[in-house]
Amino acid sequence: MKTVKAGLIGFGTIGAGVVRILDSSAEVIRQRLGASVQITKIADLDIKTDRGIKVDPGILTTNADEVLEDPEIEIVIELIGGYEPARSFTLKAIQNGKHVVTANKALLAKHGEEIFSAADEKGVCIGFEAAVGGAIPIIRSIREAFVANQFSAIEGIVNGTANYILSKMSDENCDFQTALKEAQEKGYAEADPTFDVEGIDSAHKIAILTRLAYGTPVGADEMTIQGISSITPEDIDCAREFGYRVKLLAISKYDGKSLDVRVHPTMIPENHPMANVNGVLNAIRVCDDLMEENVLVGHGAGALPTGSAVVGDVVEIVRNSMAGTGTRVPSQSFHTAKIKPIPLKKIEEIESEYFLRFRVKDVPGVLAKITGILGNHSISIASVIQRGRGYGEKGVPLIMTSHLSNEKNVRDALSEIDRLDVVCEPSNLIRVEN
Ligand code: HSE
């Protein structure tokens, strides 16, 4: 039976998960693949720490070139994350004719053009199922299952850390810092949680899904990104009062002319298919012309779920190579020549429903002033709640939801409202997806 040799760069949590799966599932892989996959070299700066798995010390190296230049290695698994040296290692692997499997969403979101073009030129595959949604087979679904479908929206909870924090804030009525601290203690959040909680990780993932779904490059730096660090227990409480949950959503919509891609905290109704996706789970909702909607839910992070997606890519590459079909499926879903820019809407141009929170003096005429300004900016109010007295100097919370409105109109109205002397603190908006 054929044995295919792979090299691993990055022996962290996911790398160790991949090694574990290739060992513990070796027999089932052989039965399904008709070949074996063997990791013959592992490169990491730290080759001393015990990962709790049995590895021949002779295959460990601190020099990535020993993987990249080994003529026997057909597949390089890049799991170091970040932009550099991941980019250089990936390009070098491609130049050396090796297929690459990666979980690195930051790399693909930023350097996708360069990496996919280099891979095309060399005729090698880039597998990146693990880059979005961990074990959820969203890349394969878009690339291979939904091939006749014209997508109108992809939206998802694609960051488990942020979802864990928001779920905890909602379940226990605690503030962001308390929930973050617990996420860090449980190992879900990094010591520096910026990428996860400020929406950057989600932006990388939605950039990748946008490329695959619509055949267009979009950079995380081109979209509006707002994280969850400013969400308060009061926001979550008010959302509940209106029948909503707050989730960090990555959204990518296409109306046939332009794209609307953004990441921000979003209120979704309690009966929305993603409203009860809690904790570290991820969910991705795909809307198109043929199946209307499809929601995929699963573990978006962790050694074994993400490792399983990596191993799935490795096996697919080996299958293609054994069948002599090389890069059977275009890495970017569309053929490279068909990847073309689609104009991106500015955030001011989008239409959304809004949840608006004001802090106002509880005196006659306040509601009339605020609704008057909203009306002047063509914003139609869907519902209003004013909470009772007893808030002192801070003013009473006045909460409204709007019908579909233009973002620029909403922003202009809020800045005018914030200048009123009856308004006690800057108002707050959260977009609503119904
Ligand atoms: N840090 C990510 C998350 C997992 O919290 O979902 C890796 O993409």
Side-chain angles (χ1 to χ4, degrees), residues 103 105 130-131 133-134 158-162 188 190 196 201 205 280 282 300-302 306:
K105 56 270 170 180
V158 287
N159 187 274
T161 307
Y188 297 139
E190 312 266 346
D196 289 327
D201 176 73
K205 291 168 177 169
V280 290
N282 281 196
T306 309

Side-chain angles (χ1 to χ4, degrees), residues 53 57 68 74-75 113 120 127 138 166 173 206 208 215 232 237 239 262 275 293 308 327 340 382 391 406 426 430:
I53 37 177
L68 298 168
E74 292 180 39
I75 302 169
E113 291 308 294
D120 269 2
I138 184 64
L166 288 174
N173 200 27
I206 200 69
I208 293 173
T232 64
D237 205 31
R262 47 198 155 97
E293 77 168 0
S308 122
T327 51
K340 55 178 187 314
Y391 290 87
N406 164 264
I430 299 179

Side-chain angles (χ1 to χ4, degrees), residues 275-389:
N276 290 308
V277 173
N278 291 319
V280 290
L281 285 178
N282 281 196
I284 299 159
R285 177 170 174 258
V286 177
C287 303
D288 68 46
D289 57 337
L290 303 183
M291 60 184 181
E292 290 188 8
E293 77 168 0
N294 216 320
V295 182
L296 291 86
V297 180
H299 287 272
L304 297 183
T306 309
S308 122
V310 170
V311 172
D313 277 347
V314 169
V315 166
E316 183 186 330
I317 288 170
V318 178
R319 279 183 172 147
N320 289 344
S321 145
M322 285 167 65
T325 51
T327 51
R328 186 178 57 89
V329 181
S331 301
Q332 307 180 70
S333 181
F334 287 71
H335 281 281
T336 306
K338 300 291 176 194
I339 302 279
K340 55 178 187 314
I342 299 176
L344 203 57
K345 278 192 176 90
K346 293 196 181 72
I347 190 72
E348 293 78 13
E349 294 169 329
I350 71 154
E351 301 264 314
S352 178
E353 292 169 38
Y354 293 84
F355 164 94
L356 308 171
R357 180 160 58 77
F358 308 100
R359 283 276 187 173
V360 294
K361 289 184 187 155
D362 194 5
V363 293
V366 171
L367 201 54
K369 282 186 185 161
I370 290 179
T371 54
I373 294 173
L374 291 171
N376 289 343
H377 287 87
S378 311
I379 297 154
S380 168
I381 296 159
S383 52
V384 183
I385 293 181
Q386 183 185 310
R387 290 202 157 167
R389 295 190 160 167

